[in-house]
Amino acid sequence: MTSIGGAASPGMVDWNLAVATATRLVRPGPEVSRDEARAIVAELRRHAKASEEHVRGFTRMGADVVHDTPVLVVDRPGWVRANVAGFREILKPLLDKMQERRGSSAGGAVLGAVGGKVTGVELGMLLSFLSSRVLGQYETFAPATRDLPAGAPSASGSGRLLLVAPNIVHVERELDVQPHDFRLWVCLHEETHRTQFTAVPWLRDHLEGEIQSFLGETEVDPMTVLERIREAAQSLSGSRPDTEEDDGGRSLVEIVQTPAQREILGRLTAVMSLLEGHADFVMDGVGPAVVPSVAEIREKFQQRRAKGASRLDVALRKLLGLDAKLRQYKDGERFVRAVVDEVGMDGFNRVWTSPNTLPTKAEIAKPADWVARVHRRAES
């Protein structure tokens, strides 16, 4: 999966409290001995390194790119710390804006006293929930910290690749699949994301620009944003009444949208569908040659996704927009597969030429329209 990642306005969110809360509430990982843990970390590092060659050979991307983005094998608290650092970076403009508005509002003094700590606790609750579900993540905008290094900004981008070892072990045991194969399979997906951003120099800045445009269009009272976070936290704790309305099933992002944001979100949805679908396509394309049990892993993993979850999981996924994330994998993978079938891998790779050759949200659903726009027009 892909991530967003400086200091932000301290009054709106107590980031240290968010980390402390999440770390305190995070579920323990599966039981492994110290020797097992060392072996798992070493194997994940080897798989991440091997995945570079596999992914670049299959995608024909980034063969000449040298990057310094590190691979970090982390536990659940480590994932929390990395993501808080990323949130602080990407949300800074929005929180600065909210801070200014809060200062001029009648309730600004009250918010200043308790709002940051309340939001920090509630954000920590959400991060503790998510920290047990993420297998890996390429942090595109990750700032370097003392214990979490990141690649230096350059033509090949910056960032870091995170592999969450306890979650990988938990899922491989739950699915009862071959651990060696499953770990390599996960690394292939995440390495594809690293290749996307290091081989396509403009992609990071384009995505950051879209995100900042989305945040810049936010015209919402700070209390509204805090209330949405509170709703998510109440769902997490089970304290939200069964009869309470859920805004028609809209996610947290959709609730705060302006008309301009809906346009931006459409473009972001398309590019995220492309990135996630491409990673799934590559993972399964490389798989048969290097992951002997890839068919079994894919079938069991898809069943796990489709099986659904508890009422709590469903409520949180809806509120946080994670259902849309799962659709991005499916829609994006269908788009990539259809285009590659039509024009081959080199023809598909025209998608990385510029922001103008990225698919629209409508083209993700109708790949032939993208082929017609990008290929037929270029050939005419």
Side-chain angles (χ1 to χ4, degrees):
M1 99 181 227
T2 52
S3 167
I4 312 306
S9 304
M12 295 306 301
V13 181
D14 187 329
W15 298 106
N16 291 332
L17 186 56
V19 171
T21 300
T23 301
R24 186 176 70 252
L25 296 177
V26 71
R27 299 175 184 178
E31 290 189 11
V32 296
S33 69
R34 184 169 298 180
D35 287 343
E36 284 179 303
R38 286 199 201 96
I40 291 165
V41 169
E43 183 175 19
L44 286 172
R45 291 187 184 281
R46 289 196 303 272
H47 286 331
K49 181 63 177 175
S51 294
E52 280 189 56
E53 182 178 350
H54 296 318
V55 169
R56 292 184 179 201
F58 182 80
T59 62
R60 303 176 196 170
M61 295 173 63
D64 301 323
V65 174
V66 178
H67 59 73
D68 64 348
T69 51
V71 176
L72 306 180
V73 181
V74 298
D75 58 9
R76 290 168 178 174
W79 179 88
V80 168
R81 291 193 298 274
N83 276 266
V84 165
F87 288 146
R88 291 181 68 163
E89 179 76 10
I90 206 71
L91 292 177
K92 185 179 186 303
L94 174 62
L95 294 181
D96 284 346
K97 184 177 183 179
M98 291 172 64
Q99 182 91 345
E100 291 175 7
R101 180 169 295 189
R102 186 190 73 180
S104 62
S105 67
V110 175
L111 261 178
V114 300
K117 292 191 179 299
V118 170
T119 309
V121 168
E122 292 171 343
L123 178 60
M125 293 172 69
L126 293 176
L127 287 170
S128 71
F129 170 82
L130 295 171
S131 69
S132 63
R133 284 156 174 77
V134 177
L135 301 181
Q137 171 181 342
Y138 183 70
E139 286 202 297
T140 315
F141 307 114
T145 63
R146 184 174 57 185
D147 58 340
L148 291 166
S154 65
S156 61
S158 65
R160 55 187 169 226
L161 181 61
L162 303 181
L163 297 169
V164 191
N167 298 348
I168 294 172
V169 173
H170 171 79
V171 174
E172 71 191 25
R173 290 179 178 179
E174 180 186 334
L175 298 181
D176 190 24
V177 293
Q178 213 286 332
H180 171 88
D181 287 2
F182 184 75
R183 294 166 193 174
L184 177 55
W185 190 70
V186 171
C187 288
L188 289 170
H189 182 101
E190 302 310 329
E191 177 58 38
T192 302
H193 286 315
R194 180 161 67 160
T195 297
Q196 290 163 348
F197 283 94
T198 55
V200 184
W202 54 265
L203 184 58
R204 178 189 181 277
D205 288 343
H206 171 73
L207 192 58
E208 183 178 21
E210 292 279 54
I211 292 166
Q212 293 302 338
S213 295
F214 181 89
L215 296 176
E217 288 289 335
T218 298
E219 292 294 343
V220 63
D221 183 82
M223 287 302 296
T224 303
V225 174
L226 297 181
E227 182 59 30
R228 296 310 179 190
I229 296 175
R230 190 163 296 115
E231 287 176 9
Q234 288 172 350
S235 293
L236 179 60
S237 64
S239 61
R240 191 176 183 191
D242 290 348
T243 56
E244 193 169 325
E245 295 296 323
D246 68 355
D247 296 282
R250 291 181 294 163
S251 71
L252 176 62
V253 170
E254 292 171 313
I255 287 167
V256 301
Q257 276 184 45
T258 65
Q261 283 178 310
R262 279 193 288 274
E263 291 186 18
I264 299 169
L265 189 64
R267 296 195 298 269
L268 279 170
T269 298
V271 72
M272 295 308 294
S273 296
L274 170 69
L275 298 178
E276 296 295 356
H278 184 233
D280 263 13
F281 177 79
V282 172
M283 180 170 59
D284 289 342
V286 173
V290 298
V291 182
S293 59
V294 64
E296 177 192 1
I297 290 172
R298 167 55 81 186
E299 181 181 359
K300 289 184 174 181
F301 197 76
Q302 292 288 55
Q303 288 174 353
R304 182 178 184 268
R305 278 181 181 173
K307 190 186 301 180
S310 67
R311 179 180 174 278
L312 172 59
D313 273 2
V314 170
L316 270 169
R317 284 177 178 178
K318 183 180 291 183
L319 188 60
L320 297 173
L322 298 183
D323 282 342
K325 173 82 167 174
L326 294 179
R327 288 195 299 273
Q328 287 171 5
Y329 284 104
K330 297 176 184 175
D331 296 346
E333 197 273 342
R334 279 195 294 265
F335 170 84
V336 176
R337 187 172 300 281
V339 172
V340 172
D341 286 347
E342 177 71 18
V343 295
M345 186 65 75
D346 291 334
F348 165 78
N349 281 341
R350 288 195 191 179
V351 77
W352 312 116
T353 304
S354 76
N356 293 330
T357 56
L358 290 172
T360 64
K361 189 176 179 181
E363 288 170 341
I364 288 287
K366 294 184 177 180
D369 290 354
W370 180 86
V371 172
R373 176 173 68 86
V374 173
H375 282 265
R376 311 282 152 69
R377 182 177 300 173
E379 292 165 3
S380 61

